[in-house]
Amino acid sequence: MEKSDLRNELDKLKAISLAVIKEAGSTAELEKARVELLGRKSELALRLKGLGKLPADKRPEAGAELNAVREAVTSALDDKLSAIREKELNEKLENELFDITLPGRETGMGHGHPVVSVMDELIGIFTGLGFQVVEGPEVETDEYNFKMLNFPDDHPARDMQDTFYVQNGARLLRTHTSPVQIHAMQNIKPPFAVIAPGRVFRLDSDVTHSPVFNQLEGFYVDRDVNFGHLKGTLELFVHRLYGEDTKLRFRPSFFPFTEPSAELDISCVLCGAKGCRLCKGTGWMEILGAGMIDPNVFTSVGLNPEEWTGFAFGFGIERIAMLKYGIDDIRLLYENDPRFLRQF
Ligand code: DAH
């Protein structure tokens, strides 16, 4: 084959190849062209493969010319690919025009459940007064939940709290946070001031009672503690929580683990003591039980009641939250309906 013949044929091949590339209008079409022009069965590949059959003195030149065509085709393909990509990107940008001045989609920050928020607020108030936070087990024994708190066996006081028994009566779900008093007195050397927030369980369910609810227990053990300390502490607490204008009223009451015992009423947070539906026309609302720690409780944990004195109080968190936010059905607090929870 004459040298000029080969050059002619390759010039033609190159011209056709470049025309094919020019025609391709999409990346898919260009990929097809790449296979057709450079693939294993392409004319160029076959010619390169056939180089070995040429006489040795013609091979270098023919090889150089074939490579030159392959390089030209390859670089034309690459150039075209960049051009197509740019065109496709521009089309996409034009079709997907969006308004960058539109405000972004808001994602809610989320917030605490009203019971959690109230719990946090209460913990804040009491730790500010020097109380430390202690937690106790939710599964208790009769010993801790009742006996060591001076509930005698078969005493009707046990009926005040409908208990969930587990393990055939060997254990129970604590009915109040008062057993944490016992754990604390066994583990911490007095004097100390403790609050014990946590879940409690009672076989009870209606608009104001839930079988699982939260309480906060507070107690202070030291020498020479008197009822005045208890009143002062509770007054500070109520004023911080409901405002300085809230009035307090202590009524005599009974709890096995305190002597004397009292219940604390506050002036109605809704009507300000005028009398309304929330306070059932009385102007007052009961919020907690309290008293001076009974000497028998000290004895049960090995503390000398001649030396140690103390006060204790306990109340339900949900009730505090319901009064604070004017919620009239406790079940709303547990249904987790976002339309309800979003309001707080
Ligand atoms: N444990 C009582 C209850 O659940 C509440 C209570 C009353 C706690 C008087 C106390 C207290 O610490 O002194 O009904």
Side-chain angles (χ1 to χ4, degrees):
M1 192 186 284
E2 282 290 308
K3 186 173 139 190
S4 58
D5 281 351
L6 178 66
R7 159 116 356 117
N8 270 340
E9 284 177 32
L10 290 184
D11 281 350
K12 235 160 92 189
L13 178 61
K14 183 170 149 189
I16 291 170
S17 298
L18 296 183
V20 168
I21 292 167
K22 203 173 162 199
E23 281 300 297
S26 67
T27 46
E29 277 173 34
L30 196 67
E31 192 46 39
K32 223 176 109 206
R34 185 186 294 277
V35 172
E36 194 182 308
L37 301 175
L38 296 178
R40 270 186 300 120
K41 290 179 189 147
S42 64
E43 188 179 339
L44 207 55
L46 295 177
R47 279 180 186 267
L48 277 161
K49 231 166 132 189
L51 270 178
K53 292 192 195 114
L54 289 182
D57 62 327
K58 307 248 172 172
R59 261 181 242 157
E61 217 183 323
E65 304 230 3
L66 278 167
N67 270 330
V69 175
R70 187 172 62 182
E71 265 159 38
V73 170
T74 304
S75 88
L77 279 167
D78 291 347
D79 290 350
K80 184 73 181 189
L81 184 64
S82 308
I84 289 177
R85 286 220 173 114
E86 194 176 319
K87 188 175 130 245
E88 286 178 349
L89 179 66
N90 283 333
E91 278 170 9
K92 206 170 150 201
L93 286 176
E94 254 171 57
N95 293 334
E96 288 178 5
L97 255 190
F98 60 93
D99 183 353
I100 55 165
T101 65
L102 276 178
R105 226 168 260 143
E106 218 177 301
T107 49
M109 274 291 285
H111 58 78
H113 186 279
V115 170
V116 175
S117 309
V118 167
M119 185 77 102
D120 286 347
E121 187 180 354
L122 296 170
I123 290 173
I125 293 174
F126 283 109
T127 52
L129 291 173
F131 285 77
Q132 61 170 313
V133 181
V134 167
E135 283 182 307
E138 292 177 351
V139 179
E140 275 291 6
T141 56
D142 181 274
E143 192 91 356
Y144 279 83
N145 195 77
F146 293 123
K147 203 182 178 98
M148 295 172 88
L149 285 165
N150 197 37
F151 286 77
D153 289 338
D154 304 320
H155 190 280
R158 292 186 187 220
D159 299 339
M160 283 162 62
Q161 305 179 354
D162 296 300
T163 311
F164 284 109
Y165 286 93
V166 291
Q167 293 180 356
N168 285 327
R171 309 257 157 174
L172 52 81
L173 304 184
R174 67 178 178 190
T175 58
H176 52 174
T177 43
S178 302
V180 186
Q181 288 187 36
I182 305 297
H183 292 290
M185 289 182 206
Q186 288 177 333
N187 295 313
I188 311 172
K189 228 172 88 101
F192 60 76
V194 164
I195 51 165
R199 282 197 293 189
V200 301
F201 308 84
R202 287 186 202 179
L203 232 159
D204 206 354
S205 187
D206 60 36
V207 291
T208 54
H209 296 90
S210 158
V212 182
F213 63 105
N214 293 272
Q215 282 191 337
L216 188 137
E217 190 85 10
F219 43 101
Y220 170 47
V221 176
D222 202 343
R223 296 180 177 89
D224 301 320
V225 180
N226 61 48
F227 207 92
H229 297 128
L230 172 61
K231 284 180 83 169
T233 304
L234 293 179
E235 188 172 283
L236 245 160
F237 154 63
V238 167
H239 284 169
R240 294 237 169 117
L241 187 66
Y242 289 116
E244 296 286 329
D245 296 334
T246 316
K247 291 184 205 43
L248 288 80
R249 177 174 86 175
F250 288 84
R251 277 182 293 102
S253 184
F254 171 78
F255 300 102
F257 37 91
T258 43
E259 185 59 35
S261 303
E263 278 174 308
L264 172 61
D265 295 341
I266 57 167
S267 51
C268 181
V269 293
L270 193 65
C271 66
K274 282 195 258 320
C276 68
R277 191 179 51 87
L278 192 63
C279 57
K280 299 193 183 82
T282 65
W284 294 95
M285 300 186 309
E286 181 208 320
I287 64 158
L288 59 77
M292 303 308 294
I293 295 173
D294 194 290
N296 289 343
V297 174
F298 286 126
T299 306
S300 75
V301 294
L303 289 177
N304 179 2
E306 297 299 325
E307 182 181 3
W308 298 105
T309 49
F311 67 66
F313 57 87
F315 53 83
I317 306 292
E318 281 80 353
R319 184 168 163 73
I320 302 282
M322 287 168 77
L323 294 178
K324 190 173 160 92
Y325 296 119
I327 300 164
D328 58 6
D329 187 337
I330 195 169
R331 291 168 295 199
L332 286 167
L333 290 171
Y334 305 114
E335 282 164 0
N336 285 331
D337 184 334
R339 290 167 302 179
F340 170 76
L341 294 175
R342 225 177 272 135
Q343 302 172 57
F344 304 99

